[in-house]
Amino acid sequence: MTEKTLVILKPDCMEKKLAGTVLARFEAADLEVKACKMIRMTDPVLREHYAHLIDKPFFGFLSNYMKRNPVIVLVLEGENAIATTRKILGPTKSADAPAGTIRGDFGDKEIVTFNICHASDSPESATAEISRFFKPEEVF
Ligand code: TYD
């Protein structure tokens, strides 16, 4: 099934100059870029994007990190794009992520927050997240 998913190259990805490396891994898995923009995250967008985490003690730390430098937001399309993207990315905690995954290779093993990249985790969140960041005419 062809799907679209939302990917965010987070501030640590940009700071480590890994945008090209990370995108190349997704492209190598036959995922295609359908939309792309560079933005700086804001509190209202982060409160929406991480609504499920708003009551967690680390929410403030997560928000500050997500705002500290601009990010690249992407829509990727391909066969089972949502599961494929999450598999290439690896689990949330980089310390638990196997070598060969993006988080396993590049994420911070001590600070969970600094895990390089976001990818939608379900068809429902992919739809909501794509429309959070892109107008319909911006997705090609
Ligand atoms: P979550 O939606 O649980 O994971 P994922 O990004 O893999 O879908 O969490 C969102 C982000 O919150 C996660 O990428 C990193 C951050 N986070 C922390 O900073 N500390 C934590 O303990 C957890 C679980 C997540």
Side-chain angles (χ1 to χ4, degrees):
M1 188 190 16
T2 302
E3 292 174 326
K4 288 186 177 65
T5 192
L6 184 96
V7 164
I8 304 173
L9 306 184
K10 295 180 177 183
D12 55 335
C13 180
M14 306 307 293
E15 291 155 7
K16 291 178 172 173
K17 300 184 174 65
L18 289 170
T21 301
V22 169
L23 183 54
R25 290 194 180 195
F26 291 130
E27 289 188 320
D30 217 22
L31 294 159
E32 192 180 346
V33 177
K34 289 289 176 177
C36 178
K37 65 169 77 161
M38 191 168 191
I39 59 168
R40 190 185 287 273
M41 290 288 185
T42 61
D43 285 319
V45 169
L46 287 168
R47 276 198 294 271
E48 212 180 281
H49 187 71
Y50 287 131
H52 61 297
L53 299 174
I54 219 151
D55 295 328
K56 301 282 185 199
F58 59 82
F59 182 76
F61 186 79
L62 172 63
S63 291
N64 285 336
Y65 149 71
M66 289 297 289
K67 289 184 294 183
R68 79 182 182 196
N69 264 314
V71 300
I72 291 177
V73 193
L74 297 152
V75 175
L76 300 183
E77 185 181 82
E79 273 298 298
N80 301 313
I82 297 164
T84 302
T85 305
R86 293 283 300 192
K87 189 158 184 257
I88 294 168
L89 185 54
T92 305
K93 293 183 181 172
S94 301
D96 297 340
T101 64
I102 290 167
R103 286 169 169 168
D105 291 348
F106 306 121
D108 191 306
K109 302 294 186 294
E110 274 149 33
I111 302 173
V112 178
T113 313
F114 306 156
N115 64 3
I116 306 289
C117 186
H118 167 86
S120 308
D121 63 1
S122 68
E124 296 71 29
S125 57
T127 302
E129 291 175 359
I130 290 168
S131 64
R132 179 168 306 134
F133 293 101
F134 293 98
K135 298 179 194 143
E137 64 269 26
E138 292 175 325
V139 182
F140 289 93

